[in-house]
Amino acid sequence: MAVPAADAEETPQRWAVKEAAIACLDVAPAVDDKPVVEAPFVVTKEYRRFAEFADAVRRDRYIGLCYGPPGVGKTLSAPVRPLGPHRARRADLPVLRGRPHPAGDGARDGPVRHVPRELREILDTRSAVYTPKVHNGPGRLEKELAFIQDRLSWAIETLAHPEHDPPALSGNHGRYAELLIVDEADRLKTPTLEQLRDRHDRTGVGLILIGMPGIEKRLARYPQLYSRVGFVHHFRVLSAEEQAFVLARHWPELGLHHPDDFTTAEALATIIRITNGNFRLTARLIAQIKRVLDINQLSTVTKEVVQAARESLVIGVL
């Protein structure tokens, strides 16, 4: 079965046809055979709170606001990655199964048969993540969000109604999209935020804005926007107890799961003090600790090893 050639400007219809054609191929198209190795996703207490928050925004179609310091896991906690060649969910977000779609056409949230797992997850979440570019404007935002929502909606309709020929799909204009997550919302200026609010009003899609601390005070200056914010989630750093648990469970090769030993307890306390519960900084520090252990041919993590690893990092005020 021939795959449609890519045009200069890919429309949602052409994208849906191409995806359906690729799914039907007997032989997968040639790709880079080197798999991308990613760190395992760690389900923390803050992630579970974010998942419930995102599910509530999706269900009630409000505007939600999530803010927190950098490196705590806001972006990784988003239920899906940006649509395109790397689409996949970050982790399990609670989904609403078996509920008829508001459009009333029989489409349901439940999975369909004979569909690859990655595409079925798109049907389950009905969500997309969008990261605006540094230089953005209302026109570019409207065009890119319309394209993303149409791509998502066309994919869902293709999967929910496999008996339809992809070219005969209706012009749904993104009606199947239920949640849009906008990361790096601090980049959006006032006209762009107003355009985002207007799109939320016109399409009824649930909207989550993710940003740094202070964005909630900035939005408070715009009554038309903050009056529509129904949920606010403060993404906090790991507590000392949870960070010790994460270190012991997800990096067992470091031997930090025996805090009864004084050397291990001292090293663990030093890691927690340096990182202050910041997940990204913890991962960077662990990588340097492994490097120091390999260079010096050591097998035990001590306070001195942690301090030597810390000297290889640039750490600001957390």
Side-chain angles (χ1 to χ4, degrees):
M1 183 176 182
V3 179
D7 293 337
E9 183 175 355
E10 186 181 30
T11 63
Q13 294 90 337
R14 294 193 182 97
W15 181 83
V17 172
K18 182 170 66 175
E19 291 296 315
I22 292 176
C24 297
L25 289 176
D26 296 331
V27 180
V31 295
D32 187 1
D33 57 355
K34 295 181 180 179
V36 178
V37 179
E38 295 184 350
F41 187 89
V42 180
V43 178
T44 63
K45 184 186 299 184
E46 281 299 315
Y47 166 73
R48 294 185 183 278
R49 294 180 60 224
F50 179 88
E52 188 278 330
F53 157 76
D55 193 45
V57 173
R58 176 192 172 196
R59 181 181 62 248
D60 297 331
R61 307 298 178 87
Y62 284 158
I63 295 179
L65 179 62
C66 174
Y67 65 94
V72 296
K74 301 186 300 295
T75 300
L76 290 178
S77 295
V80 294
R81 291 180 184 173
L83 291 176
H86 303 291
R87 63 185 182 280
R89 287 167 60 190
R90 294 281 186 183
D92 293 331
L93 178 73
V95 296
L96 307 175
R97 298 180 181 273
R99 175 175 58 84
H101 192 271
D105 57 0
R108 292 180 177 270
D109 287 321
V112 297
R113 296 181 179 179
H114 310 298
V115 175
R117 179 179 59 85
E118 293 81 3
L119 299 182
R120 188 168 62 244
E121 288 172 347
I122 293 179
L123 182 62
D124 285 341
T125 60
R126 297 176 182 260
S127 308
V129 175
Y130 170 72
T131 303
K133 296 179 174 60
V134 176
H135 300 286
N136 57 76
R140 165 179 260 179
L141 181 82
E142 175 65 20
K143 181 178 180 181
E144 293 180 347
L145 289 184
F147 185 61
I148 288 176
Q149 285 187 244
D150 286 345
R151 290 175 72 183
L152 175 62
S153 193
W154 273 84
I156 292 172
E157 188 170 355
T158 301
L159 298 175
H161 302 284
E163 70 279 2
H164 295 175
D165 293 330
L169 295 175
S170 61
N172 50 64
H173 302 295
R175 65 176 178 176
Y176 289 107
E178 295 184 356
L179 178 63
L180 177 65
I181 301 177
V182 179
D183 195 15
E184 303 288 354
D186 308 87
R187 298 175 178 176
L188 303 179
K189 296 179 174 60
T190 303
T192 315
L193 285 171
E194 181 64 21
Q195 181 64 49
L196 196 60
R197 180 197 63 82
D198 177 73
R199 181 161 191 84
H200 165 74
D201 291 344
R202 287 187 289 105
T203 63
V205 65
L207 178 64
I208 293 179
L209 303 178
I210 299 179
M212 295 281 290
I215 189 174
E216 74 282 5
K217 298 178 181 178
R218 177 187 170 197
L219 296 184
R221 297 197 295 266
Y222 309 113
Q224 284 190 314
L225 186 59
Y226 77 69
S227 63
R228 290 167 170 79
V229 176
F231 304 93
V232 177
H233 174 63
H234 183 191
F235 212 110
R236 297 178 174 84
V237 297
L238 297 174
S239 64
E241 295 78 10
E242 188 172 19
Q243 187 172 10
F245 176 82
V246 169
L247 288 169
R249 291 290 298 273
H250 295 278
W251 286 284
E253 66 275 12
L254 297 180
L256 298 175
H257 50 282
H258 296 298
D260 295 338
D261 178 76
F262 175 76
T263 301
T264 302
E266 188 180 38
L268 185 60
T270 304
I271 294 175
I272 294 174
R273 176 178 55 80
I274 292 175
T275 60
N276 195 28
N278 188 288
F279 210 105
R280 182 185 299 159
L281 181 56
T282 300
R284 290 166 51 205
L285 183 62
I286 293 300
Q288 291 299 323
I289 289 175
K290 292 180 179 179
R291 172 175 167 268
V292 172
L293 291 175
D294 291 339
I295 292 175
N296 296 276
Q297 298 181 351
L298 301 174
S299 58
T300 303
V301 179
T302 64
K303 177 181 178 181
E304 290 72 24
V305 170
V306 176
Q307 291 175 341
R310 187 257 178 269
E311 294 177 358
S312 302
L313 300 176
V314 177
I315 301 176
V317 179
L318 298 178

